Amino acid sequence: MLKLININSNYDFLRKKTTAMIFSLILIILSFGSFATQGLNWGIDFSSGYIVQLKFNQDIDINNIRNSFIDNGINDSVIQYFGSNQEVIIKLQENINFNKESINSFLINSLQGYSFKIIKLEFVGSQIGSELREKGEWAMLVAILSILVYIGFRFEFLYGIGAIIALIHDVLITLGIFSIFQLQFDLSVLSALLAVIGYSLNDTIVVYDRIRENFTLIHEEDFEKVLNTSINQTLSRTIITSLTTLFVLMSLLILGGSAVKYFALAMIIGIFVGTYSSIYIASSSLFFLGIGNKK
Amino acid sequence: MSSYPRWKSFLVIIVLAVSFIYSLPNFYPSFPAIEISHGKNNENANNITKTIIQNLKINNVLNKDDKLILKFNKTEDQLKTYRKLQNSNIQEAFTLTNYNDIPDWLISINAYPMFLGLDLKGGVHFLLQVDKDNIKENLIREIEVDTKKLLIKNKYRYQSFNKENNKIIVSFKDNKFVDEAIDKINENFNDEIAKKNLSNNLNIIEISPSQISIDRDIKSAISKNLTILRSRVDELGVAQPILQRQGKDRIIVQLPGLQDSTRAKGILGSTATLEFRLTKGTPEDWYNSKLSGTPTVNSSALYFLRDKSPILLSRKVIVAGDDIKNANTGFDSATNTPAVFVKLSDYGASRMLDTTKKNIGNRMAVIFVEKNKQEVINVAVIREAFSKSFQITGLDMKEAQDLSILLRSGALRAPMEIVEERTIGPSLGKANILSGKNSMYFGLFLVGLFMLIYYKLFGLIANIALAANIIIIISVLSIFQATLTLSGIAGIVLTVGMAVDANVLIFERIREEIMNGNSPNASIYSGYKKAFSTISDANITTLIAAIALLTIGTGAVKGFAVTLVIGIISSMFTSIVGTRVLVSIIYENKNSKRLSI
């Protein structure tokens, strides 16, 4: 049998439990810091305004485009190259100079002298944007609560808490990374975040399942040892599953095109963080929550 | 070890076979096409075909049942021909569509390909919201009339009666009747009006529409607008448009394949209509009015023609948009300019007859009314009385066509505003599909390769299960005619990851059992058994998350959740039951010494 991990591995993961907790705490504090200062780079789905993707027939200089907009009364356009020097994505706030009916002709007028095609045009009114934000937060909350109930039911209440801790940890850090690097947070990233919740739980439950099994099998005083054994036993599976999922996500990221880029990125970050949390945080939380002391 | 239940094997085979068949339609290529309905009239069909072949030089004309199909290789060709057809004299209805060359036997069992979302096909998506203020205003106007009548009837003499801020304020000299009036009003108009006393001044009544009545009017406006919008969308010549109510006060409009959103925007949100009025005064009066800025003749209003010349019109409207039953575009025979041929309703016809009979020799003006502007497009002398049908000139061809569409479909019950718009060019759509497919194939290939190397024969079994899983997902989406979006593809990607995970769990357990010294068959048995509870716990939690998304989310989030839910259920089936069947076929009754795992 080909093996990535020695099946009798016996790494003492829980020796590093305090280090891990501190490390995670630092990451979370950094994340909150970034939330407070920079905030998230809300994509158009959650804020409001226009996103326009234009393809020109020649190489263009972004500064020239920006100046053309300034000449027409738009001072706050955000323009980026998109894939080549001939394609750009433009983010515009709502403006008195144009509205959703006239934006097409406004673009043509401001960019006279350029020959281009409108590849994509999106407009989201501010009310919709904030509504979506609300709905997104709701969805997360409901998902988390129902999961807590289910796990509390299948295992024990403290396991549920441990799982939620690992979960919140994953979400916060993933969001934190998005905030620190100002990566765009749009609807697809929200989907990815929710997928990460499911995936990370997947991992956590597999470990908890082992712990529960070993608790009854191994009459071991040292709860830490039970935890360690369980993690080691599931290590092989955890690594392989993460690996295979990463295969698919990496190809999405590299080959999948613009629309799924941020989704794939969010999921990849989430999986790394999630795997780390399943190995260290989920079990350490159980330890610190005092599960072993119940005996 | 006893043999694996036969019925499970049969179940797997049946599920796979059905899925395979129903996923087939998706693999037939689809072409841009134009459908022309000829209603099973073969002579008609032949005539049209001849015209098309001669004038449009298209040879590829299929005759299917009750329509003709023109196939094209490129969307550009399809659109070019569509415009040529619009300018031709072909009367039959024709639409843009996507044609799938699906064999008849598949169609007979209702096997169709699934829909592709806008982000994969290209097109336009609008979210329209009803103007709540407008509805409230109309309600208040009704309430005003009714309330005044009631107050007067009961002799509650009021001092002042004012409308402000969507409320009606009635003040009395003293508070003798105030409470009585409030009760009477609330009695007679139960859910229509709510009554309040202004806190500091007891002589004042506030009247406002109740939330129930507002909601009710919004609901009715939305459903009437849906019908009207639907007929407007039909006129845009889009195949498979989607119009749906969303929430309390919104409508989603999706137009796949549409390139130019400007025209669509113009037509969808437009409240444009026509008005007919008599002129007043002489050209000199008109000129003087322009100079002074106000009408110089009694009970008239100042309007302007397209060339900015002034005109005075009567305040009375003879007929307007609601009285117009039908409208078509064509050319005025005399001047050969674009014209709108109008047909009035019976009521409108009688009013028109009345007015024209009494005003022969006078002038009548046609006003083009839109949200914020009103333009006189035509002034003509009434030469003879007319009633039901007549024609209007003064617009260019495109305006005439758009106006006819709007007059035909009717005026919106309440104005709607576009609050969200997404346009995806079809080229981006194609690029998305292509890169989505490619990345999936490549990712799957890597996973398959890995499983094969790491778990050998069992890995091969897992790969087969994975392929089956994907086929099942595709077939379920097709059977329910669901729409696949980019986020849906992302959901499938995640499902793949979880399906593999289930298999990994099982195989790692089996390996453990073997390492603990158990026989191959015993290892298989307990491997599956022990892994099952882990897999179900894990999958169910993800399912919970997916269902939360499904119910609360909209749009992209929903698309993701749909494929995730389908994928989790089907992956549990293929990973557990599916692989088990294959494993038992290979290893059952065979007391092998070693497992290829």
Side-chain angles (χ1 to χ4, degrees):
Chain A
M1 289 185 258
L2 186 62
K3 276 169 283 193
L4 276 177
I5 313 275
N6 186 346
I7 205 154
N8 290 324
S9 67
N10 204 356
Y11 302 117
D12 189 352
F13 289 105
L14 256 70
R15 200 173 71 179
K16 301 278 178 54
K17 59 182 179 301
T18 332
T19 322
M21 286 300 212
I22 295 182
F23 178 61
S24 292
L25 210 58
I26 293 180
L27 283 178
I28 292 184
I29 293 179
L30 279 176
S31 303
F32 272 121
S34 184
F35 291 150
T37 50
Q38 297 190 85
L40 278 170
N41 179 6
W42 294 105
I44 190 187
D45 300 312
F46 294 104
S47 52
S48 74
Y50 300 82
I51 288 194
V52 186
Q53 184 174 337
L54 301 176
K55 186 172 169 91
F56 293 85
N57 286 342
Q58 76 228 73
D59 286 357
I60 43 118
D61 183 348
I62 286 192
N63 290 322
N64 292 343
I65 307 279
R66 198 171 290 128
N67 288 335
S68 306
F69 280 139
I70 295 181
D71 290 340
N72 280 281
I74 310 280
N75 297 324
D76 57 357
S77 61
V78 175
I79 314 182
Q80 278 173 321
Y81 283 119
F82 190 72
S84 73
N85 285 354
Q86 296 188 354
E87 233 175 292
V88 289
I89 287 223
I90 307 172
K91 221 173 168 185
L92 297 167
Q93 304 279 14
E94 301 192 61
N95 194 290
I96 39 165
N97 288 316
F98 56 83
N99 56 27
K100 355 166 179 100
E101 276 100 35
S102 61
I103 183 168
N104 297 52
S105 38
F106 173 80
L107 286 171
I108 296 180
N109 281 336
S110 339
L111 297 175
Q112 274 174 13
Y114 292 100
S115 155
F116 62 87
K117 234 181 359 183
I118 298 182
I119 303 276
K120 191 161 84 147
L121 172 65
E122 289 184 358
F123 164 71
V124 174
S126 47
Q127 188 198 20
I128 306 279
S130 54
E131 240 180 68
L132 271 172
R133 225 190 288 210
E134 242 178 75
K135 276 206 179 143
E137 289 165 1
W138 252 125
M140 294 254 271
L141 204 62
V142 171
I144 291 181
L145 278 175
S146 20
I147 288 166
L148 180 59
V149 167
Y150 181 75
I151 296 185
F153 184 64
R154 287 282 292 165
F155 296 74
E156 267 178 43
F157 181 64
L158 282 179
Y159 282 88
I161 303 278
I164 299 289
I165 290 180
L167 203 113
I168 296 184
H169 164 275
D170 294 345
V171 171
L172 278 180
I173 294 188
T174 308
L175 278 179
I177 294 182
F178 261 75
S179 169
I180 293 175
F181 293 100
Q182 286 288 290
L183 302 168
Q184 179 172 301
F185 188 87
D186 57 23
L187 267 181
S188 68
V189 174
L190 178 67
S191 313
L193 218 50
L194 289 157
V196 165
I197 290 180
Y199 184 87
S200 161
L201 261 140
N202 203 330
D203 265 9
T204 309
I205 288 176
V206 168
V207 177
Y208 280 2
D209 192 73
R210 248 343 150 111
I211 295 175
R212 177 178 59 180
E213 191 182 316
N214 285 336
F215 234 157
T216 51
L217 283 182
I218 306 173
H219 296 290
E220 183 62 61
E221 302 284 302
D222 191 353
F223 186 61
E224 202 171 303
K225 223 168 183 189
V226 173
L227 289 177
N228 265 329
T229 318
S230 310
I231 300 178
N232 277 297
Q233 283 172 344
T234 54
L235 197 58
S236 199
R237 168 258 158 210
T238 304
I239 302 282
I240 293 176
T241 300
S242 304
L243 202 64
T244 45
T245 314
L246 277 174
F247 282 152
V248 182
L249 288 172
M250 282 296 194
S251 32
L252 260 191
L253 181 67
I254 301 176
L255 302 171
S258 56
V260 290
K261 189 160 88 148
Y262 288 106
F263 169 83
L265 194 58
M267 277 223 70
I268 291 175
I269 295 176
I271 287 187
F272 272 115
V273 179
T275 309
Y276 157 73
S277 81
S278 301
I279 295 178
Y280 282 96
I281 305 295
S283 34
S284 306
S285 309
L286 282 186
F287 184 84
F288 286 118
L289 281 171
I291 278 228
N293 302 334
K294 289 191 69 193
K295 279 213 156 166
Chain B
M1 231 41 274
S2 50
S3 65
Y4 195 63
R6 273 301 168 77
W7 68 268
K8 285 195 185 171
S9 312
F10 278 134
L11 181 64
V12 169
I13 295 179
I14 293 177
V15 168
L16 278 179
V18 169
S19 309
F20 184 70
I21 294 178
Y22 277 93
S23 65
L24 273 180
N26 293 292
F27 298 102
Y28 287 93
S30 88
F31 301 97
I34 296 183
E35 264 179 25
I36 307 180
S37 358
H38 58 73
K40 293 209 176 133
N41 184 336
N42 275 319
E43 194 192 307
N44 214 354
N46 289 334
N47 284 339
I48 305 179
T49 315
K50 250 190 273 185
T51 326
I52 294 179
I53 295 184
Q54 279 176 347
N55 297 348
L56 301 177
K57 312 234 186 310
I58 298 179
N59 299 326
N60 216 350
V61 183
L62 281 171
N63 193 343
K64 266 203 174 238
D65 227 21
D66 62 340
K67 40 183 174 261
L68 292 175
I69 312 247
L70 308 172
K71 286 205 292 193
F72 303 90
N73 285 330
K74 289 197 281 187
T75 325
E76 287 96 45
D77 298 336
Q78 176 203 34
L79 291 173
K80 250 192 270 180
T81 313
Y82 185 71
R83 272 190 250 288
K84 283 197 209 153
L85 278 174
Q86 278 178 321
N87 293 331
S88 76
N89 56 359
I90 292 189
Q91 300 287 14
E92 284 74 10
F94 51 89
T95 47
L96 294 168
T97 182
N98 267 319
Y99 182 67
N100 291 296
D101 221 341
I102 310 174
D104 290 324
W105 66 272
L106 276 176
I107 297 188
S108 60
I109 52 170
N110 263 332
Y112 292 103
M114 54 185 155
F115 282 124
L116 291 179
L118 281 188
D119 49 7
L120 295 177
K121 209 161 39 164
V124 182
H125 156 104
F126 293 114
L127 188 60
L128 300 160
Q129 182 160 352
V130 81
D131 185 350
K132 285 197 261 235
D133 290 332
N134 180 289
I135 292 193
K136 278 194 214 158
E137 263 172 48
N138 286 336
L139 256 182
I140 297 239
R141 232 175 278 155
E142 277 175 40
I143 296 176
E144 194 183 3
V145 170
D146 289 338
T147 314
K148 246 191 213 163
K149 258 198 257 178
L150 182 136
L151 288 176
I152 292 178
K153 184 166 106 164
N154 287 294
K155 301 213 171 79
Y156 299 136
R157 280 222 191 96
Y158 49 84
Q159 203 173 38
S160 68
F161 192 102
N162 288 320
K163 222 187 339 184
E164 48 179 281
N165 289 349
N166 279 339
K167 282 202 270 245
I168 296 183
I169 314 253
V170 188
S171 69
F172 296 85
K173 228 192 284 191
D174 51 50
N175 58 357
K176 225 189 329 177
F177 297 122
V178 168
D179 289 322
E180 231 186 280
I182 291 182
D183 287 336
K184 256 280 161 42
I185 298 178
N186 275 333
E187 245 176 62
N188 281 305
F189 308 122
N190 34 8
D191 63 0
E192 283 247 343
I193 316 168
K195 237 104 322 339
K196 268 182 265 191
N197 247 330
L198 251 185
S199 45
N200 33 11
N201 193 331
L202 294 170
N203 300 343
I204 300 193
I205 301 183
E206 257 179 43
I207 309 176
S208 46
S210 69
Q211 191 59 39
I212 302 179
S213 60
I214 299 179
D215 287 344
R216 183 198 60 208
D217 276 8
I218 291 182
K219 193 159 168 222
S220 129
I222 294 272
S223 47
K224 295 219 179 86
N225 281 355
L226 257 176
T227 321
I228 294 172
L229 285 175
R230 207 164 268 138
S231 75
R232 292 190 186 182
V233 163
D234 278 342
E235 305 266 3
L236 288 172
V238 171
Q240 301 165 348
I242 296 180
L243 279 105
Q244 268 170 6
R245 185 196 302 247
Q246 192 198 65
K248 260 207 306 190
D249 56 355
R250 302 203 185 115
I251 295 181
I252 294 185
V253 177
Q254 285 193 349
L255 309 170
L258 193 71
Q259 320 279 55
D260 179 15
S261 64
T262 336
R263 180 157 187 254
K265 273 193 278 205
I267 290 192
L268 280 181
S270 174
T271 45
T273 184
L274 289 179
E275 260 179 24
F276 294 81
R277 299 186 195 205
L278 291 171
T279 64
K280 271 205 159 202
T282 65
E284 209 188 315
D285 293 323
W286 303 347
Y287 183 65
N288 288 333
S289 303
K290 175 171 175 173
L291 287 179
S292 68
T294 53
T296 53
V297 178
N298 279 342
S299 49
S300 67
L302 181 60
Y303 283 81
F304 292 93
L305 281 88
R306 294 203 133 176
D307 57 6
K308 305 285 192 271
S309 53
I311 189 169
L312 289 175
L313 301 177
S314 153
R315 283 189 182 279
K316 263 212 280 197
V317 177
I318 310 171
V319 292
D322 277 345
D323 305 309
I324 298 181
K325 203 164 69 166
N326 206 350
N328 282 303
T329 21
F331 286 93
D332 174 58
S333 40
T335 58
N336 221 20
T337 50
V340 178
F341 294 90
V342 175
K343 217 185 211 170
L344 295 175
S345 65
D346 289 335
Y347 174 68
S350 70
R351 277 183 64 100
M352 187 58 100
L353 185 62
D354 230 24
T355 315
T356 50
K357 248 201 306 199
K358 294 189 206 147
N359 284 284
I360 299 200
N362 288 336
R363 278 183 258 246
M364 185 166 70
V366 184
I367 313 169
F368 182 80
V369 179
E370 249 227 311
K371 226 183 299 216
N372 304 326
K373 70 174 185 193
Q374 296 172 11
E375 262 183 343
V376 174
I377 54 175
N378 197 324
V379 186
V381 175
I382 304 174
R383 274 183 240 284
E384 52 176 5
F386 57 89
S387 59
K388 214 167 173 74
S389 315
F390 51 91
Q391 67 195 42
I392 305 171
T393 53
L395 298 167
D396 65 45
M397 193 45 163
K398 187 170 161 322
E399 291 173 318
Q401 279 172 337
D402 285 353
L403 184 62
S404 305
I405 294 178
L406 294 172
L407 290 173
R408 271 200 298 269
S409 58
L412 289 176
R413 260 316 146 265
M416 303 207 69
E417 205 194 319
I418 300 179
V419 290
E420 190 180 293
E421 170 190 342
R422 290 167 206 272
T423 308
I424 310 271
S427 57
L428 182 63
K430 279 217 190 79
N432 281 343
I433 299 183
L434 209 57
S435 40
K437 271 196 204 163
N438 285 341
S439 58
M440 261 252 284
Y441 291 153
F442 189 63
L444 289 175
F445 169 72
L446 283 180
V447 170
L449 194 60
F450 177 81
M451 293 296 273
L452 202 54
I453 297 177
Y454 200 72
Y455 290 113
K456 294 184 230 118
L457 183 59
F458 274 75
L460 180 63
I461 294 177
N463 290 340
I464 297 177
L466 197 57
N469 193 7
I470 296 179
I471 300 257
I472 294 179
I473 297 179
I474 294 181
S475 71
V476 170
L477 287 175
S478 306
I479 292 177
F480 288 102
Q481 287 284 277
T483 307
L484 181 67
T485 58
L486 258 180
S487 44
I489 293 184
I492 297 181
V493 165
L494 179 62
T495 306
V496 164
M498 297 197 63
V500 170
D501 182 42
N503 281 321
V504 170
L505 274 168
I506 297 173
F507 297 168
E508 286 296 316
R509 270 295 178 158
I510 296 181
R511 280 190 176 187
E512 253 185 82
E513 298 292 314
I514 291 182
M515 297 252 78
N516 287 338
N518 293 319
S519 76
N521 279 330
S523 304
I524 293 177
Y525 182 74
S526 42
Y528 271 92
K529 184 158 171 226
K530 288 190 188 165
F532 180 72
S533 78
T534 320
I535 296 176
S536 57
D537 274 339
N539 278 16
I540 289 179
T541 37
T542 315
L543 200 58
I544 292 178
I547 293 180
L549 283 182
L550 193 60
T551 37
I552 301 183
T554 51
V557 173
K558 206 169 190 143
F560 174 78
V562 165
T563 49
L564 193 58
V565 169
I566 299 176
I568 290 179
I569 297 176
S570 102
S571 82
M572 281 186 84
F573 180 69
T574 54
S575 300
I576 303 179
V577 181
T579 56
R580 193 73 169 82
V581 164
L582 282 175
V583 167
S584 50
I585 291 177
I586 298 176
Y587 283 101
E588 190 172 301
N589 300 330
K590 252 200 207 154
N591 273 325
S592 355
K593 291 278 172 34
R594 267 182 42 191
L595 291 179
S596 171
I597 188 171

